Amino acid sequence: MRLLFLLFSLFGATFGYNFLVYCPLFGHSHTKFFATIADSLTDAGHNVTFFTPTIVEKYRNVNYTKSTKDVVHMEPSEKLRAYGEQMVSGDFVRFWTEDSSATEIIPVIELFQNMYNEQAEVMRNNLDFLDDLKRRNFDVIIFESYVFSAYPLMDYLAIKTFIPSLSLTHDVALAQSIGEPAMPSVVSDVCSPFGEKLNIFERAFNAFAAPYIDFVLGYPVHRSFKPPYNVIDIRNLEPEASFVFLNSNPFVDFPRPTLTKTVEIGGISVDLNRLRSEKLDEKWSNILNLRKKTMLVSFGSVMFSKDMPMENKIALAKVMKQFPEVTFIWKYESNDTDSFAKGIENIHFFNWVPQTALLADSRLSAFFTHAGLGSINEVSYLGKPAILCPLFADQMRNAKMLARHNGSIELTKYELADKNQISEAFQKILFDESYAESAEKLAQQLENQPIKPKDLLVKHAEFAARFGRLPGLDPYSRKMSFIEYFLIDVAVLCIVILISLILLFRKLFCVVCSFVIVKQKRKIE
Ligand SMILES: *[C@@H]1O[C@H](CO)[C@@H](O)[C@H](O)[C@H]1NC(C)=O
Ligand SMILES: *[C@@H]1O[C@H](CO)[C@@H](O)[C@H](O)[C@H]1NC(C)=O
Ligand SMILES: *[C@@H]1O[C@H](CO)[C@@H](O)[C@H](O)[C@H]1NC(C)=O
Ligand SMILES: *[C@@H]1O[C@H](CO)[C@@H](O)[C@H](O)[C@H]1NC(C)=O
């Protein structure tokens, strides 16, 4: 028996690959996504190193990975720490009332690029540390596609195979880079506030947003850490990625053409079995038992309910009071709620809520959410009807994406002071059974996906580890010019032929006509 076990483990070891997941610590949801990737590969029997250099200090004490034990940190420089603080203290409060439009995005991307450039500097100043990593002979590196400091790291560690990935649903720039049809006429980019039904201006916005950002910012310049310190040609290297993992799920997202290279693993962070086994403690259970229906209200961990304009709070509380048969659990980050909710018995405020356990409980009727991708995935998998109130970044697109499945209602942040709109949405989501049915149907589909996101991830990562770069998957289309790709030259050729034929027939007609006229003239004479 022991021999068998030994043989088995030997056998297992020869099939284990060494993965490096590089995830600078700057955002909670980003790190969660990459930690799940690391854990999935560890659980499949591989050696995974989770390299997570600190940028934002406050996440440093969170244990993001579970089964992955080889977690490597790196201290930030003063400059990098300052960038991290700048990002966290970003003035998010204004997004309760202001548009987060395309013009907002350029300074944000710029800050991100400066941050990753500085992160690369920190690594360059710690080459001993990297030498240590290099000894682990990684087969594959996985990183967030726009964290470009991964390229000099990959170069220094001599890792040939790489999988740029995205903790968001869709990035037009990345798609175009690997030669995927981006279809801006029907598929919106990640920070676009549009859905799939687009008017001419929205289509124009979609078509020009990515090229404009590329024109203004382009790819950052990263140099090799090794002499002769050549510039790394990221633009030409990126398309050689073996695969690209996206945090979108084809059963939830807008349908679109993709390449074999694009692997959609959205929902991988939702561990249904674990969520269902989570038990609510007595305090929460008692609250769910108070009334027949219960709604959870939460705007996530970046935007706080306490910062929303007072008129919105008053409107929300007044509408909640109109539904005395419903209990409202409101994640509210301060203890001062008397100013707008004094004496309203069916609202329960908490600084923190066990969101997933509540969503997994059959007694919870509906979820009022800011449509962050994490919450969208959870509510989709757990099949709860939802009111989606997106505030900024990718949330507008997320909301449109989920509302398309008829299990949820979109309420814009500008309607949050409008009691009639809120009340109508509450009435529908709580008492119109069709929303719960549609939400449940989507959850069933997600549970019965032909291939589970985790399997997709593990199988493709193993395939990349075994076969390296996959030029066979690289479409020639990405080397074609705009004119060739959209058959504009063919169209011009067709038009030239058509015009020539028309001219030719006209000429013939004239010749025949003059011939006939001459003949008739002769007859008359
Ligand atoms: C995986 O990691 C362990 C411990 O670090 C090491 O002993 C083993 O050789 C590694 N496996 C491979 C395939 O490198
Ligand atoms: C994280 O893991 C470390 C080491 O295993 C442990 O000491 C620490 O208490 C954990 N922290 C949290 C917040 O769970
Ligand atoms: C609210 O009150 C509770 C209990 O008194 C306390 O633990 C918590 O820290 C307070 N929250 C805030 C944001 O002040
Ligand atoms: C949502 O409802 C509309 C209108 O009833 C229907 O046409 C559409 O197919 C539904 N969508 C889904 C995903 O079920």
Side-chain angles (χ1 to χ4, degrees):
M1 198 63 208
R2 259 176 80 171
L3 191 75
L4 217 86
F5 179 71
L6 204 77
L7 269 174
F8 179 76
S9 49
L10 265 176
F11 189 75
T14 55
F15 276 84
Y17 292 110
N18 295 337
F19 289 97
L20 176 63
V21 178
Y22 168 61
C23 176
L25 193 55
F26 67 94
H28 178 69
S29 52
H30 303 268
T31 313
K32 232 173 114 178
F33 179 69
F34 283 89
T36 312
I37 289 181
D39 282 344
S40 303
L41 292 170
T42 301
D43 295 343
H46 301 290
N47 270 2
V48 184
T49 300
F50 192 64
F51 178 31
T52 179
T54 306
I55 294 182
V56 175
E57 300 272 356
K58 70 169 178 178
Y59 301 129
R60 179 68 165 75
N61 298 322
V62 183
N63 292 334
Y64 284 100
T65 59
K66 295 199 173 65
S67 49
T68 308
K69 296 296 173 221
D70 191 13
V71 180
V72 181
H73 296 278
M74 185 181 250
E75 286 308 311
S77 61
E78 276 314 311
K79 199 167 157 196
L80 187 56
R81 194 173 276 134
Y83 279 132
E85 271 161 27
Q86 199 181 335
M87 209 194 57
V88 175
S89 66
D91 180 14
F92 296 121
V93 174
R94 67 201 169 99
F95 290 123
W96 278 108
T97 48
E98 277 176 35
D99 249 6
S100 78
S101 63
T103 46
E104 301 279 343
I105 206 85
I106 299 266
V108 175
I109 300 178
E110 227 167 0
L111 172 63
F112 275 38
Q113 284 198 356
N114 290 337
M115 204 162 77
Y116 307 136
N117 290 349
E118 180 58 22
Q119 215 286 297
E121 273 317 299
V122 174
M123 291 195 289
R124 185 200 308 278
N125 294 331
N126 284 285
L127 290 183
D128 293 349
F129 197 97
L130 296 194
D131 289 335
D132 230 22
L133 281 179
K134 189 169 179 195
R135 277 190 276 281
R136 302 187 202 185
N137 280 326
F138 294 109
D139 298 297
V140 180
I141 177 171
I142 301 175
F143 55 91
E144 182 113 42
S145 61
Y146 53 79
V147 180
F148 294 110
S149 49
Y151 287 92
L153 174 67
M154 176 176 131
D155 173 77
Y156 191 79
L157 303 185
I159 309 173
K160 217 166 165 299
T161 310
F162 61 105
I163 305 182
S165 304
L166 195 63
S167 61
L168 306 164
T169 47
H170 183 44
D171 176 10
V172 169
L174 178 64
Q176 283 173 338
S177 163
I178 61 168
E180 186 170 280
M183 284 183 75
S185 57
V186 67
V187 183
S188 288
D189 197 6
V190 67
C191 284
S192 138
F194 318 125
E196 55 182 352
K197 258 191 241 158
L198 304 165
N199 66 32
I200 179 167
F201 301 108
E202 293 166 347
R203 275 180 282 130
F205 176 92
N206 270 350
F208 292 116
Y212 175 70
I213 292 174
D214 188 34
F215 174 73
V216 176
L217 295 173
Y219 285 82
V221 177
H222 280 289
R223 288 179 175 278
S224 170
F225 296 157
K226 292 180 289 200
Y229 312 107
N230 287 332
V231 170
I232 298 172
D233 187 357
I234 299 178
R235 192 181 290 274
N236 281 317
L237 192 54
E238 191 176 45
E240 294 189 26
S242 302
F243 295 107
V244 162
F245 295 140
L246 300 184
N247 194 7
S248 75
N249 187 297
F251 293 92
V252 182
D253 202 355
F254 302 110
R256 64 191 176 87
T258 57
L259 297 175
T260 307
K261 252 189 198 188
T262 306
V263 185
E264 297 180 90
I265 58 169
I268 191 168
S269 325
V270 187
D271 185 346
L272 267 189
N273 294 332
R274 189 179 57 79
L275 292 185
R276 292 213 177 110
S277 66
E278 270 178 353
K279 270 270 160 282
L280 283 167
D281 63 26
E282 216 180 306
K283 167 178 128 183
W284 293 101
S285 192
N286 287 342
I287 292 174
L288 288 174
N289 283 336
L290 284 175
R291 298 177 182 80
K292 246 174 128 169
K293 287 187 187 282
T294 307
M295 186 192 283
L296 172 64
V297 181
S298 166
F299 290 93
S301 52
V302 177
M303 299 281 287
F304 293 131
S305 298
K306 72 176 170 67
D307 297 328
M308 101 170 49
M310 187 45 111
E311 52 174 349
N312 295 4
K313 296 182 196 171
I314 293 174
L316 277 170
K318 281 211 168 123
V319 174
M320 289 174 186
K321 197 179 170 188
Q322 287 168 13
F323 291 85
E325 70 281 40
V326 181
T327 306
F328 292 91
I329 300 174
W330 190 343
K331 177 179 171 284
Y332 196 88
E333 304 76 11
S334 130
N335 289 336
D336 172 27
T337 55
D338 277 358
S339 49
F340 61 97
K342 192 167 176 146
I344 305 179
E345 274 177 14
N346 60 334
I347 312 181
H348 296 253
F349 293 98
F350 293 97
N351 295 161
W352 176 87
V353 294
Q355 176 168 313
T356 48
L358 283 168
L359 287 175
D361 196 295
S362 61
R363 290 168 292 178
L364 192 88
S365 325
F367 183 28
F368 193 133
T369 169
H370 68 306
L373 192 52
S375 295
I376 289 274
N377 277 329
E378 283 162 14
V379 78
S380 309
Y381 270 82
L382 294 167
K384 291 287 185 221
I387 295 177
L388 310 167
C389 181
L391 301 172
F392 77 120
D394 62 333
Q395 295 162 8
M396 277 77 66
R397 185 186 188 274
N398 296 342
K400 291 258 173 351
M401 169 178 93
L402 187 60
R404 199 174 145 266
H405 295 275
N406 299 336
S408 46
I409 298 173
E410 202 188 336
L411 194 70
T412 74
K413 61 187 175 190
Y414 308 109
E415 292 166 331
L416 275 185
D418 183 338
K419 277 185 284 178
N420 294 334
Q421 297 268 17
I422 304 171
S423 160
E424 199 183 310
F426 278 20
Q427 184 69 32
K428 277 194 201 155
I429 213 72
L430 287 164
F431 299 101
D432 180 342
E433 284 301 314
S434 76
Y435 290 99
E437 279 161 22
S438 297
E440 178 55 30
K441 195 159 136 201
L442 180 61
Q444 287 291 332
Q445 288 178 2
L446 289 173
E447 194 169 356
N448 293 289
Q449 286 172 78
I451 305 172
K452 296 266 181 297
K454 196 165 273 190
D455 292 337
L456 279 175
L457 163 77
V458 170
K459 295 228 162 85
H460 282 90
E462 285 171 348
F463 194 89
R466 179 156 177 211
F467 294 107
R469 292 188 189 171
L470 302 164
L473 295 185
D474 188 9
Y476 184 72
S477 60
R478 86 183 168 79
K479 298 184 191 98
M480 294 167 87
S481 70
F482 185 84
I483 291 179
E484 288 172 312
Y485 185 80
F486 287 104
L487 296 173
I488 292 171
D489 49 352
V490 175
V492 168
L493 186 66
C494 288
I495 291 169
V496 167
I497 291 175
L498 200 70
I499 292 174
S500 312
L501 282 178
I502 291 171
L503 290 177
L504 189 71
F505 277 117
R506 217 180 79 151
K507 191 92 189 166
L508 267 177
F509 187 72
C510 290
V511 168
V512 170
C513 280
S514 59
F515 185 71
V516 170
I517 290 167
V518 168
K519 228 178 163 183
Q520 282 195 343
K521 260 193 192 159
R522 278 216 192 117
K523 245 185 193 170
I524 292 165
E525 279 169 7

